[in-house]
């Protein structure tokens, strides 16, 4: 047995948190990815899933995770305590946007026409699924919780698409990357929806580390993630994620989100 | 209509029918019971399922309702409904919902039609009642109903948190699958009932054939016995009641045959006795005049010269010989008539009218002749004429001082009646029973054979003769004969 694998089996696993920014249902993909990362960094890698951003953030702060793939909004909220590792490249850039979607039969063509309807947010700590639409409504002069008759959280961009396609909600806000991903891999539900509004571009949900993650591990992980484009297996994994690669970025990438967060009053999330 | 009267149906029809009816009845009752029980069991199972599913949703709903987590409510509702649809084919979720205590929709399986947060729209009166009822519930219940053409059972479970009513979970399952299952069970039961009835009928047919065969044989034997033929042997293996009946019948038939043989023997003996009696009577009747004749001859021989004796005895001798001749003539007539057979219409009796007129001569006797049966019946002419002539002559002789003699014929159904009545001296009651005996006579010159011969001739023609003494004086003889004339020649009774 190679020494590296023996070491990997002996040392505690590297724990990697996942949130709604990626489609989490494809468990085989994460098995392959963890196996790939293990072979590269010499550590066992375990992906950890929780329902909400909040839970993942709590685990990071409690040192239960080494890394996590989170949204830009929780990152800017916790940027004092967590570090930015890498940012995925989507369409060649580390940026994405928020889509306002409705059922394709809904006559509305803009967010402003959705007054009195039922709205699906993804997560109260989501940028594209919560912060952006609320900021947009605030810009239109509406108190978001009064504009919609009802709103609820699905805690998953994919389920927001489901809620809208099944007309449980009239409209919802989703991550452009997830919507595009679903349109390619699970088109039935996406095809029953339509995009009525696209937001400005924001920093793509980043991969972060906790302060106490060993710097060598941080560096190894960052290096290997960025280097994925250099291996055939890495490229295949990136293809499955519909990403072009991972890149090192500065926290300034998320200033747009930071400004949004400052603008939108921190009202209680519950509808 | 014979078909409509079961009492004339053959046993070979009635027995299989009865058995089939019993089998159909019994299996029908059993099948109905099974169908009803199965239906009841399925109903109960469906009710339990509806209630269980609603409870499953309600159990996790409290937190979601309190937090307004509409998406979780919707997902758990869907999960329960899809889970059922995937695993079971015996029921289908028609609809399902979670309402708050005010009747607003918190989750609905038809989200496009029933919008979140709005009061549940009820399009029909029963639906409104269902809604009211479900909101009033404080513990789980099931309800049956019909939506359009689809029957359903609905499980309703309130969402309660520490005595506070938060809302209600309603899940509605279709009964179409249940009804289809009941129909399938009914079809199976019906098939079995028919199969059993068929088997019962076949069994009944076999049993009845085995039962009826000896009975039919018995019936035929009894018919043969009735016609006077031998009953014949009846093959029967059974030792049951029918077997005993057949054996009993055979014993009876044997005894009857013995009795008939004995009777025949007795009749032959009687005939011989009667013949002896007649021979003795003839001998006696001839012997009396013969004695007188020999007496006369003896006296004449003793006194050959006494011419007066010859004068005195000649009439006596003539009288004696005449009597013997009359006796012999009567016997000859009887012998001839015994062989005679000549069918003719009743009209031929009219030939006697002139003979009787001659017999009456100058006597003041009125003859009334009403041959009403003429042309309606046939008779054995020589025998009938002889009988009638005897009766008419007797009547004339019974009226030495004149009177009225009447003949009347008629037809009653299959019977020819001949009635001879007079207004003469009549018959004393004590003589009525001996009237037809041979050699019985009340007239000094009579042989006593006329009525005896008449009686025998009538009986030989399958007829009857009755004599009556009329209260106002006179006698009346009534003959009854078959209108077809009787058999050509039949042995005469003695």
């Amino acid at each position: 047995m190679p020494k590296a694998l023996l070491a990997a089996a002996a040392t505690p696993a590297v724990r990697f948190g996942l949130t709604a920014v990626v489609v989490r249902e494809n468990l085989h993909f994460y098995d392959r990815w963890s196996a790939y990362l293990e072979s590269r960094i010499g550590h066992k890698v375990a992906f950890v899933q929780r329902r909400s951003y909040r839970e993942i953030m709590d685990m990071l702060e409690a040192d239960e995770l080494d890394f996590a793939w989170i949204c830009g909004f929780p990152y800017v909220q916790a940027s004092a305590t967590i570090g930015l590792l890498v940012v995925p490249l989507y369409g060649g850039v580390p940026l994405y946007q928020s889509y306002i979607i409705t059922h394709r039969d809904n006559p509305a063509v803009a967010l402003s026409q959705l007054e009195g309807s039922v709205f699906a947010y993804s997560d109260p700590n989501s940028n594209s699924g919560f912060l952006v639409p609320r900021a947009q409504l605030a810009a239109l002069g509406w108190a978001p919780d009064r504009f919609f008759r009802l709103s609820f959280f699905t805690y998953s961009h994919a389920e927001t698409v489901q809620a809208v396609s099944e007309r449980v909600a009239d409209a919802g806000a989703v991550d452009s990357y997830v919507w595009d991903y679903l349109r390619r891999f699970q088109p039935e539900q996406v095809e029953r929806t339509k995009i009525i509004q696209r937001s400005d571009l924001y920093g793509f949900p980043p991969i972060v580390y906790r302060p106490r993650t060993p710097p060598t591990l941080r560096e190894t992980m960052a290096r290997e993630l960025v280097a994925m484009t250099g291996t055939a297996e890495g490229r295949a994994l990136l293809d499955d994620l519909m990403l072009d690669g991972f890149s090192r970025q500065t926290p300034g990438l998320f200033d747009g989100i930071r400004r949004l967060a400052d603008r939108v009053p921190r009202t209680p999330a519950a509808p | 209509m014979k078909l409509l009267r079961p009492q004339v149906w053959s046993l070979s029809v009635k027995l299989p029918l009865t058995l089939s009816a019993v089998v159909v009845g019994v299996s029908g009752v059993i099948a109905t019971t099974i169908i009803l029980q199965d239906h009841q069991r399925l109903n109960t199972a469906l009710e339990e399922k509806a209630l269980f599913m609603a409870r499953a949703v309600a159990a996790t709903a409290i937190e979601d309702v309190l937090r307004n987590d509409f998406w979780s409510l919707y997902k758990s509702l869907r999960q329960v409904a899809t889970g059922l649809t995937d695993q079971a084919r015996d029921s289908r979720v028609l609809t399902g919902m979670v309402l708050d205590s005010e009747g607003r929709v918190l989750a609905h399986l038809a989200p496009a039609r029933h919008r979140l947060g709005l009061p549940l729209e009820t399009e029909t009166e029963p639906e409104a009642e269902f809604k009211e009822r479900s909101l009033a519930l404080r513990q789980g219940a099931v309800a049956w109903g019909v939506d359009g053409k689809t029957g359903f059972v609905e499980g309703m479970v309130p969402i309660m948190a520490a005595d506070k009513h938060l809302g209600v979970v309603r899940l509605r399952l279709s009964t179409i699958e249940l009804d289809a299952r009941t129909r399938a069970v009914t079809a199976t039961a019906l098939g079995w009932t028919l199969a059993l009835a068929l088997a019962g009928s076949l069994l009944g047919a076999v049993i009845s054939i085995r039962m009826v065969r000896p009975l039919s044989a018995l019936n035929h034997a009894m018919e043969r016995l009735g016609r006077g033929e031998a009953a014949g042997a009846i093959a029967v293996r059974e030792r049951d009641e029918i077997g005993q009946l057949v054996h009993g019948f055979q014993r009876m038939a044997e005894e009857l045959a013995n009795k008939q043989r004995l009777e025949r023997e007795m009749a032959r003996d009687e005939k011989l006795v009667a013949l002896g009696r007649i021979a003795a009577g003839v001998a006696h009747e001839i012997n009396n005049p013969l004695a007188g004749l020999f007496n006369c001859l003896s006296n004449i021989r003793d006194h050959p010269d006494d011419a007066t004796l010859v004068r005195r005895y000649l009439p006596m001798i003539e009288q004696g010989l005449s009597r013997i001749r009359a006796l012999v003539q009567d016997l000859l007539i009887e012998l001839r008539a015994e062989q005679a057979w000549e069918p003719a219409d009743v009209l031929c009796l009219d030939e006697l009218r002139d003979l009787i007129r001659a017999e009456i001569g100058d006597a003041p006797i009125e003859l009334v002749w009403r041959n009403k049966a003429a042309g309606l019946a046939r008779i054995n002419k020589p025998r009938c004429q002889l009988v009638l002539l005897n009766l008419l002559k007797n009547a004339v002789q019974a009226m030495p001082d004149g009177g009225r003699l009447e003949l009347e014929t008629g037809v009653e159904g299959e019977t020819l009646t001949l009635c001879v009545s007079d207004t003469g001296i009549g018959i004393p009651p004590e003589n009525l029973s001996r009237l037809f005996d041979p050699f019985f006579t009340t007239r000094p010159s009579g042989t006593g054979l006329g009525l005896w011969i008449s009686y025998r001739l009538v009986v030989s023609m399958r007829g009857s003769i009755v004599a009556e003494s009329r209260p106002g004086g006179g006698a009346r003889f009534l003959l009854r004969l078959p209108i077809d004339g009787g058999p050509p020649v039949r042995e005469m009774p003695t």
Side-chain angles (χ1 to χ4, degrees), chain B residues 388-401:
Chain B
L388 197 61
L389 196 62
N390 263 336
L391 295 176
L392 291 167
K393 274 184 177 176
N394 281 352
V396 171
Q397 282 163 15
M399 295 184 286
D401 302 327

Side-chain angles (χ1 to χ4, degrees), chain A residues 18-81:
Chain A
L18 293 175
T19 61
V21 294
V22 283
V23 176
R24 291 168 289 187
E25 282 72 24
N26 191 347
L27 297 179
H28 286 299
F29 172 79
Y30 293 101
D31 285 348
R32 278 165 53 217
W33 199 16
S34 66
Y36 173 80
L37 290 175
E38 259 171 56
S39 71
R40 304 296 296 185
I41 63 175
H43 279 287
K44 203 171 168 57
V45 175
F47 285 104
V48 177
Q49 301 204 16
R50 289 293 180 272
R51 188 179 182 221
S52 64
Y53 290 113
R54 181 75 261 149
E55 286 165 276
I56 291 293
M57 295 310 290
D58 287 348
M59 286 175 81
L60 268 178
E61 276 164 28
D63 279 338
E64 286 174 29
L65 294 174
D66 298 298
F67 305 99
W69 194 349
I70 61 171
C71 180
F73 183 33
Y75 166 67
V76 299
Q77 290 176 82
S79 55
T81 52

Side-chain angles (χ1 to χ4, degrees), chain B residues 46-55 57-58 77 95-97 130 134 137 139-144 152-158 168-173:
Chain B
L46 198 64
E47 283 182 356
E48 281 169 0
K49 184 177 277 174
L51 203 56
F52 174 80
M53 286 168 63
R55 283 211 166 101
V57 176
L77 204 55
T95 188
M97 66 194 83
F130 264 86
S134 69
L137 282 175
Q139 55 185 8
V142 283
W144 291 80
F152 64 80
V153 60
E154 183 170 310
M156 306 168 171
V157 174
V168 64
V169 178
R170 296 171 59 188
L171 260 168
R172 187 172 284 190
L173 303 184

Side-chain angles (χ1 to χ4, degrees), chain A:
Chain A
M1 192 176 270
K3 260 187 176 175
L5 285 184
L6 275 175
T11 52
V14 174
R15 290 166 62 82
F16 202 127
L18 293 175
T19 61
V21 294
V22 283
V23 176
R24 291 168 289 187
E25 282 72 24
N26 191 347
L27 297 179
H28 286 299
F29 172 79
Y30 293 101
D31 285 348
R32 278 165 53 217
W33 199 16
S34 66
Y36 173 80
L37 290 175
E38 259 171 56
S39 71
R40 304 296 296 185
I41 63 175
H43 279 287
K44 203 171 168 57
V45 175
F47 285 104
V48 177
Q49 301 204 16
R50 289 293 180 272
R51 188 179 182 221
S52 64
Y53 290 113
R54 181 75 261 149
E55 286 165 276
I56 291 293
M57 295 310 290
D58 287 348
M59 286 175 81
L60 268 178
E61 276 164 28
D63 279 338
E64 286 174 29
L65 294 174
D66 298 298
F67 305 99
W69 194 349
I70 61 171
C71 180
F73 183 33
Y75 166 67
V76 299
Q77 290 176 82
S79 55
T81 52
I82 56 176
L84 181 64
L85 191 74
V86 289
V87 180
L89 293 171
Y90 176 55
V93 291
L95 299 170
Y96 81 127
Q97 57 196 144
S98 167
Y99 293 161
I100 303 296
I101 59 169
T102 64
H103 193 271
R104 65 175 174 214
D105 296 338
N106 195 317
V109 292
L111 179 63
S112 57
Q113 292 169 347
L114 292 174
E115 187 182 353
S117 54
V118 178
F119 197 83
Y121 296 113
S122 64
D123 188 302
N125 287 306
S126 167
N127 175 54
S128 60
F130 184 69
L131 189 61
V132 173
R134 291 173 74 86
Q136 286 170 337
L137 283 175
L140 291 169
W142 279 98
D145 294 327
R146 295 203 181 146
F147 183 70
F148 299 122
R149 180 162 56 78
L150 276 178
S151 62
F152 57 83
F153 295 105
T154 64
Y155 294 95
S156 155
H157 289 291
E159 287 185 23
T160 299
V161 174
Q162 185 192 350
V164 173
S165 76
E166 291 177 11
R167 307 197 73 161
V168 179
D170 297 309
V174 292
D175 181 322
S176 62
Y177 160 70
V178 175
W179 196 85
D180 292 345
Y181 180 95
L182 288 174
R183 190 172 60 174
R184 179 168 151 192
F185 291 107
Q186 297 163 30
E188 324 81 53
Q189 287 191 333
V190 178
E191 279 168 6
R192 287 204 294 273
T193 64
K194 63 176 183 189
I195 302 165
I196 62 164
Q197 196 161 315
R198 289 177 166 84
S199 73
D200 298 336
L201 292 166
Y202 297 96
F204 201 96
I207 293 170
V208 298
Y209 60 87
R210 65 171 173 122
R212 268 182 270 182
T213 305
T216 49
L217 179 61
R218 274 187 240 161
E219 185 46 39
T220 313
M221 182 61 91
R223 192 184 65 235
E224 291 304 333
L225 285 173
V226 171
M228 275 178 74
T229 49
T231 64
E233 208 183 337
R235 278 197 300 274
L237 288 165
L238 287 169
D239 271 356
D240 284 355
L241 281 171
M242 273 178 66
L243 291 176
D244 300 313
F246 293 95
S247 62
R248 294 177 196 266
Q249 301 288 342
T250 58
L253 181 65
F254 300 95
D255 286 348
I257 297 175
R258 211 167 268 124
R259 282 193 295 275
L260 275 187
D262 292 342
R263 230 174 37 221
V264 175
R266 297 299 313 274
T267 46

Side-chain angles (χ1 to χ4, degrees), chain B residues 467-489:
Chain B
E468 293 170 357
S469 191
R470 301 205 299 188
R476 183 168 174 267
F477 285 84
L478 182 66
L479 268 85
R480 292 176 164 276
L481 293 169
I483 55 171
D484 60 358
V489 173

Side-chain angles (χ1 to χ4, degrees), chain B residues 449-470:
Chain B
L449 290 174
L451 281 178
W452 173 66
I453 289 166
S454 299
Y455 170 78
R456 293 183 61 213
L457 289 172
V458 168
V459 173
S460 77
M461 289 184 287
R462 287 189 282 120
S464 67
I465 181 167
V466 178
E468 293 170 357
S469 191
R470 301 205 299 188

